[in-house]
Amino acid sequence: TGVGRIVLPFGQWTVNAWMVEHGGFRLLFDTGCDGDGITGALGGAMPDVVLITHAHEDHVGGVAALESAGIRVISETEALEAVAFDFGTISIRVVNLSGHKTPTAGYFIDGLSKRLLVAGDAIFAGSIGRCRSTGAYQTALDNLRRVLGEAGPDCVILPGHGPATTVAEELSSNPFHLGFS
């Protein structure tokens, strides 16, 4: 039972995949850049299902390898259409975090000791994902403000790059003014 950060190489940086295990289910969020990287990092502890935040190569590069191993992969588009999933005592509600990339699915995870938000590149500790236009930037801020507003301050954010953070930390110190004015 627990949450594990899988740090995978991404050029000169790193990218995160997150494993959530509880109640006999193993859920993987994103796959990193390539199949060998993610399968090697998993070391045989394969997930029951993979949920994708957004379709940038550094987050979906391992999809084909996991699908060929017989693992169900739920794309961000499918997740946003489904709205919610239940895996035993793990309850997932899908939220729209588009902006950095459209579409982007965020995943509220309930049923563990703390509420989690898997956010892909929508938000990082102290930053947000790069947006390619003023419109995309405004969409990102609008979606983040809405989602963080309903998350609760103790909600732990699991970003696509860098360390985990909390909603309270980002509302108080993120320079992108995510708090409510």
Side-chain angles (χ1 to χ4, degrees):
T1 296
V3 178
R5 177 180 172 205
I6 303 167
V7 180
L8 299 161
F10 170 47
Q12 53 189 294
W13 297 288
T14 60
V15 62
N16 296 332
W18 294 93
M19 182 74 82
V20 175
E21 297 182 62
H22 189 69
F25 285 93
R26 185 177 288 138
L27 309 176
L28 180 67
F29 295 84
D30 290 343
T31 68
C33 296
D34 65 77
D36 290 341
I38 190 63
T39 56
L42 292 172
M46 297 302 257
D48 296 298
V49 67
V50 177
L51 296 106
I52 299 298
T53 60
H54 66 293
H56 280 157
E57 188 61 27
D58 57 321
H59 296 269
V60 297
V63 164
L66 294 172
E67 284 179 329
S68 70
I71 297 166
R72 179 172 181 227
V73 176
I74 299 172
S75 73
E76 68 284 8
T77 302
E78 180 184 348
L80 285 162
E81 289 171 1
V83 180
F85 300 94
D86 288 307
F87 299 96
T89 57
I90 300 172
S91 176
I92 296 176
R93 187 168 59 89
V94 185
V95 291
N96 185 350
L97 284 176
S98 296
H100 165 75
K101 171 82 170 140
T102 299
T104 292
Y107 299 95
F108 275 125
I109 303 171
D110 291 298
L112 305 171
S113 60
K114 287 195 176 254
R115 182 176 222 195
L116 306 176
L117 173 62
V118 179
D121 289 354
I123 186 168
F124 311 118
S127 192
I128 67 171
R130 176 186 59 175
C131 298
R132 298 193 177 270
S133 70
T134 304
Y137 177 70
Q138 192 58 56
T139 297
L141 290 179
D142 290 347
N143 283 331
L144 282 167
R145 287 177 178 140
R146 177 183 43 77
V147 169
L148 297 182
E150 63 187 67
D154 294 334
C155 180
V156 176
I157 299 170
L158 307 178
H161 302 273
T165 184
T166 65
V167 169
E169 179 66 26
E170 296 314 304
L171 290 178
S172 68
S173 66
N174 190 300
F176 287 89
H177 306 292
L178 300 172
F180 308 99
S181 45

